[in-house]
Amino acid sequence: MTSDAGAARAIPAGAAHRSEDLPDARRIAEIDALRGFALLGILLVNALMMAGPYGLGGELGTSALDRAVQWLVTALVTSKFYVLFAFLFGCSFTLQQRSAERAGVRFGPRRLRRSAGMLILGFTHAVLLYPGDILMAYALLGLVLFAGRKAGRGAVRTAWWWFGLAGAVLLLIGTALALLPQEAARFSTELSAEAAQLTDGYRGDAASVVATNAGQLDEVLFGVVQTAGHVVPAFLLGMVAARHGRPALSGVMRRRLHRTLRLGLAAGLPGGAFMALAMTGPLGPRWEILGTAVGTVTAPALTAAYTSAMLLWLGRPSSRRVWPLLAAAGRMSLTNYLLQSLVLALVFTGYGLALYGRLGAATVTVGALLLYTGQLLLSHRALRRFRYGPAEWLLRAVTHGRRPAKTGRPRLPRR
């Protein structure tokens, strides 16, 4: 969590991309670019989860390449980018609060309408496309931000305590199950039975797909509770970080980012490797829950390392051609997130090709990378003509209680 706190200080950095360079002078380029980067991690994990019944917890393909790809995604990506998205969600909360103040409107009703809109959109997404939805979790857990919106530095202390207690509980549960091999064996048997049901459901017709998704809603609600331990602290840290403006990427800030990068890698890589060994490696079902717990607890360290590396890179001339693409994808992150699920559902379920459980991890990952590249290009092109992505336009209409303009967006900058 130390590294995550470092990221909290670092997020607003990077005056290399001034707010005046953006179509909307009050937007922060780095936040948009980081959100676009986070979309890649979300897609890599969700693609493997939607591709087969075992997701990241079993074999998705039998070749050495498939196993290697699955291991790397589990170790380096799983849980890390949800934390980054949560951090940026907290940053956006503060920016939206300031926007309401500038407009002279009450922030409370506006924010609650936005949360309600996210909840409805998330429920629809979970039932129709992907039950591993994060929108419902963010809508519900985001109420913690709303309740603590006037908190000062105490929000940081709360984040530390929340993360520490939740992490301790996860580790205790994982350790207890590791010491009870008969429970681990029973858990593995239940997963095998569930895998067969999921395969039949997702290879069926559209009605079968919807019924299969709806049958997992109880797990979705449990996931809200399960993710609260690392999502809420990231919310709070992001909220506080955004209040401190955007200091220049000075020598002192660069040294902090380099230190956060080193510490984050040192703390996060071993935890990610252990999680991969437990979930996709040789350790087996007995260690899977403990491995997941360790990976979850250490995920913010790798998140902070990735964030620091991206901020350092965004301050370099070599990023000039890429960062506008990342920023555009980040501005349309909700649309892109939903589009990812739609494309994956058309590929893997009975909505389309019904390739559920039939492709290896390497093929799925290559397909995800191609989809992400297409989204970068399409987002950049779309925002040259439209103000918002379609999902952003809809959520903004709900938030503000009026119909926003669709067009009129100035051209995105070219550095």
Side-chain angles (χ1 to χ4, degrees):
M1 196 65 178
T2 302
S3 297
D4 204 31
R9 295 191 299 272
I11 282 283
H17 309 309
R18 300 184 308 161
S19 60
E20 290 84 355
D21 295 333
L22 293 171
D24 182 345
R26 292 191 176 95
R27 293 193 70 94
I28 299 178
E30 290 80 9
I31 289 180
D32 286 333
L34 286 172
R35 193 180 289 113
F37 170 60
L39 278 170
L40 173 60
I42 298 294
L43 174 58
L44 290 175
V45 173
N46 286 355
L48 292 180
M49 293 295 292
M50 294 182 70
Y54 294 103
L56 292 166
E59 291 187 0
L60 197 61
T62 56
S63 72
L65 179 59
D66 287 330
R67 291 193 295 270
V69 168
Q70 203 166 358
W71 194 93
L72 287 172
V73 171
T74 304
L76 302 179
V77 182
T78 303
S79 298
K80 286 71 176 177
F81 288 86
Y82 286 107
V83 175
L84 178 54
F85 246 129
F87 188 93
L88 298 173
F89 184 89
C91 290
S92 297
F93 179 90
T94 293
L95 299 179
Q96 291 159 9
Q97 187 174 12
R98 290 176 176 173
S99 176
E101 292 171 356
R102 288 193 300 269
V105 300
R106 295 174 59 197
F107 176 65
R110 177 182 283 191
R111 183 65 206 184
L112 292 177
R113 286 195 300 269
R114 186 177 186 87
S115 295
M118 286 182 61
L119 185 63
I120 295 171
L121 191 59
F123 178 82
T124 304
H125 174 241
V127 172
L128 296 181
L129 297 177
Y130 177 47
D133 172 76
I134 62 172
L135 297 176
M136 286 193 291
Y138 280 26
L140 294 172
L141 296 176
L143 296 176
V144 176
L145 276 179
F146 183 75
R149 63 190 182 280
K150 297 181 180 179
R153 297 296 299 179
V156 176
R157 291 192 296 271
T158 300
W160 278 73
W161 278 103
W162 191 305
F163 179 82
L165 290 174
V169 170
L170 277 176
L171 292 173
L172 285 173
I173 294 174
T175 302
L177 290 176
L179 297 175
L180 298 171
Q182 66 276 12
E183 289 297 319
R186 183 177 64 82
F187 178 69
S188 179
T189 301
E190 291 175 353
L191 283 181
S192 297
E194 182 182 7
Q197 294 177 353
L198 292 177
T199 300
D200 291 340
Y202 285 126
R203 291 182 184 177
D205 57 15
S208 175
V209 174
V210 172
T212 302
N213 287 337
Q216 298 177 76
L217 285 179
D218 57 338
E219 297 181 13
V220 175
L221 295 177
F222 175 74
V224 173
V225 178
Q226 188 179 27
T227 60
H230 59 278
V231 167
V232 171
F235 281 173
L236 295 172
L237 290 174
M239 179 184 69
V240 173
R243 292 174 179 173
H244 294 284
R246 304 171 68 230
L249 195 59
S250 62
V252 172
M253 181 57 69
R254 286 192 177 90
R255 286 195 293 273
R256 287 181 179 176
L257 291 173
H258 279 293
R259 184 172 65 249
T260 300
L261 174 59
R262 291 192 299 270
L263 291 174
L265 292 174
L269 285 176
F274 179 69
M275 179 170 66
L277 289 171
M279 293 182 65
T280 65
L283 293 182
R286 176 178 178 179
W287 299 95
E288 185 171 339
I289 302 299
L290 179 59
T292 302
V294 171
T296 300
V297 170
T298 58
L302 268 185
T303 301
Y306 295 159
T307 303
S308 299
M310 282 295 295
L311 289 172
L312 288 167
W313 179 67
L314 289 172
R316 291 179 173 271
S318 59
S319 71
R320 288 177 178 175
R321 291 187 177 183
V322 179
W323 85 261
L325 299 178
L326 291 171
R331 290 175 66 88
M332 291 178 54
S333 59
L334 179 57
T335 295
N336 283 320
Y337 170 69
L338 297 174
L339 181 60
Q340 288 172 0
S341 295
L342 176 60
V343 172
L344 293 173
L346 290 173
V347 172
F348 296 115
T349 75
Y351 288 148
L353 301 178
L355 294 178
Y356 190 78
R358 290 174 169 146
L359 296 180
T363 302
V364 172
T365 301
V366 169
L369 292 173
L370 292 174
L371 172 58
Y372 178 72
T373 302
Q375 288 188 306
L376 292 181
L377 298 174
L378 288 174
S379 297
H380 190 257
R381 186 177 182 86
L383 289 182
R384 290 179 178 274
R385 181 177 179 183
F386 300 102
R387 286 181 180 269
Y388 316 103
E392 287 75 18
W393 184 89
L394 177 61
L395 189 58
R396 188 177 181 88
V398 172
T399 301
H400 292 264
R402 56 182 171 81
R403 182 177 180 178
K406 290 183 179 180
T407 58
R409 169 64 57 194
R411 292 170 66 88
L412 287 172
R414 292 181 179 178
R415 290 181 53 87

